Amino acid sequence: MIIFNVSNYNPATFILVGMPGLEQAHVWIGIPFCTIYIVAIVGNCILLLIMVERSLHELMFFFLSVLAMTDLILSTACVPKTLSIFGFGAREIIFPGCLTQMFFHHYSFDLDSAILMTMAFDRYVAICSPLRYTTILTPKTIIKIFMGISFRSFCIVLPHVFLLTRLPFCRTRIIPHTYCEHIGVARLACADISVNIWYGFCVPIIMVISDVILIAVSYTLILCAVFRLPSREAHQKALGTCGSHVCVILIFYTPAFFSILAHCFGHNVSCTFHIMFANLYIVIPPALNPIVYGVKTKQIRDKVIDLFSTKGTE
């Protein structure tokens, strides 16, 4: 009869390998990761500073500020530890730290998806019902929507923590990854992890796919409304308001879905490829989102120019 002691259930530490097979190149891999992370931090902080401006207190800019904060959480939850592995070989992570990192990683990813879906609804109302925009999306309604999507993401992710803490860990403590994620940690357990696998894959994927479907429906209705507009100039103006959002949607979902599909069907794909894609979707979207909105949105572009011109004249 096997008896598990307390340390089996709550291991003191895990060992994060980084990128298996590329250990000798970790320092070189860390340089572009560090550069992209710095771009993400600076870009999103500038975006948040700009959103403080009273002239940008429109609803769209509120969503952008929330998206910027969520992107900062998404990248900061994982990238600093990844860089410590690449640069200093600091592979150990304590069990509570691993659970915390996993929670904020999954939570911010789900919340990002929900925010993009909400922004698509905002564009739909703005274009398809412009006269009723302020009556439909009142400040009270926006607060309810924000609280709702935050609570939804919290309820989806919190069971991950409890599903892991119930497992006995009596095998290896080595995680072949750069950060802690639910299924990767669960596979180290010496117990049945069927519930972890089903919940870890099915529930988040269903939520993300439902967000994507709602985004697609919103933009289908937007396109139908746009093509009914009388002039070409009206077409371009309406589509121009959606251009930056569509770019951000593609930037966010493309690496995420490639990673998910590789996990589900890419059984012959190397572990290094899996980990590379898993790292791309936590650094690329947070770095590119501020750039896309800065280039595509005139109000933000003007505020960035004013910000740096003011600094230069001081």
Side-chain angles (χ1 to χ4, degrees):
M1 180 177 178
I2 300 174
I3 300 174
F4 299 113
N5 59 32
V6 175
S7 64
N8 292 122
Y9 280 89
N10 295 290
T13 59
F14 287 116
I15 307 295
L16 293 165
V17 172
M19 297 208 176
L22 296 176
E23 287 84 357
Q24 300 301 319
H26 272 179
V27 173
W28 297 107
I29 296 171
I31 293 171
F33 268 90
C34 184
T35 304
I36 297 170
Y37 178 60
I38 291 170
V39 171
I41 294 294
V42 173
N44 284 289
C45 285
I46 290 174
L47 203 59
L48 284 171
L49 286 173
I50 291 171
M51 295 310 158
V52 175
E53 291 282 343
R54 291 186 179 182
S55 60
L56 294 182
H57 279 185
E58 297 174 23
L59 182 56
M60 181 182 74
F61 298 112
F62 167 75
F63 286 131
L64 282 180
S65 63
V66 175
L67 184 67
M69 285 189 289
T70 309
D71 281 343
L72 285 172
I73 295 170
L74 177 63
S75 56
T76 304
C78 301
V79 177
K81 182 59 184 176
T82 299
L83 292 177
S84 72
I85 295 169
F86 289 162
F88 307 106
R91 293 181 169 86
E92 285 196 352
I93 183 169
I94 61 173
F95 185 63
C98 187
L99 294 179
T100 303
Q101 185 186 60
M102 180 202 69
F103 174 82
F104 281 106
H105 165 235
H106 290 300
Y107 175 77
S108 55
F109 177 81
D110 287 338
L111 187 57
D112 253 346
S113 179
I115 292 168
L116 292 175
M117 179 263 293
T118 307
M119 291 173 73
F121 176 68
D122 168 67
R123 293 299 85 203
Y124 161 72
V125 177
I127 292 172
C128 298
S129 302
L131 299 178
R132 299 174 56 208
Y133 182 80
T134 54
T135 57
I136 293 173
L137 293 174
T138 62
K140 193 174 182 180
T141 302
I142 296 308
I143 291 171
K144 288 180 180 178
I145 291 173
F146 177 68
M147 295 300 291
I149 61 176
S150 299
F151 186 67
R152 186 201 78 164
S153 299
F154 180 82
C155 291
I156 290 170
V157 176
L158 188 62
H160 287 131
V161 176
F162 292 108
L163 286 171
L164 285 181
T165 53
R166 72 182 180 88
L167 294 174
F169 292 92
C170 53
R171 295 175 183 167
T172 179
R173 295 181 296 117
I174 298 173
I175 303 174
H177 212 302
T178 55
Y179 57 84
C180 295
E181 53 93 24
H182 177 231
I183 300 300
V185 177
R187 283 176 175 153
L188 303 181
C190 48
D192 181 25
I193 60 169
S194 303
V195 176
N196 296 72
I197 291 173
W198 280 105
Y199 188 88
F201 278 122
C202 294
V203 175
I205 289 173
I206 289 170
M207 290 299 101
V208 170
I209 288 175
S210 67
D211 290 343
V212 171
I213 290 171
L214 290 172
I215 290 170
V217 169
S218 295
Y219 274 100
T220 301
L221 295 173
I222 287 170
L223 288 174
C224 292
V226 166
F227 289 127
R228 285 198 297 267
L229 294 174
S231 67
R232 185 186 184 89
E233 185 180 343
H235 288 180
Q236 292 176 344
K237 185 177 180 181
L239 291 175
T241 62
C242 301
S244 54
H245 186 232
V246 172
C247 290
V248 168
I249 288 169
L250 293 175
I251 290 168
F252 179 77
Y253 284 113
T254 301
F257 274 117
F258 265 112
S259 181
I260 290 168
L261 290 172
H263 270 291
C264 294
F265 306 108
H267 302 296
N268 296 323
V269 178
S270 69
C271 178
T272 304
F273 182 83
H274 282 294
I275 295 168
M276 184 65 74
F277 254 100
N279 279 277
L280 285 179
Y281 81 75
I282 63 170
V283 292
I284 298 297
L288 292 184
N289 288 353
I291 296 172
V292 170
Y293 279 110
V295 171
K296 291 279 189 179
T297 310
K298 185 179 184 300
Q299 296 99 313
I300 295 176
R301 190 167 62 247
D302 292 343
K303 289 296 178 183
V304 170
I305 293 170
D306 291 344
L307 180 67
F308 283 100
S309 62
T310 303
K311 293 287 185 184
T313 56
E314 288 180 357

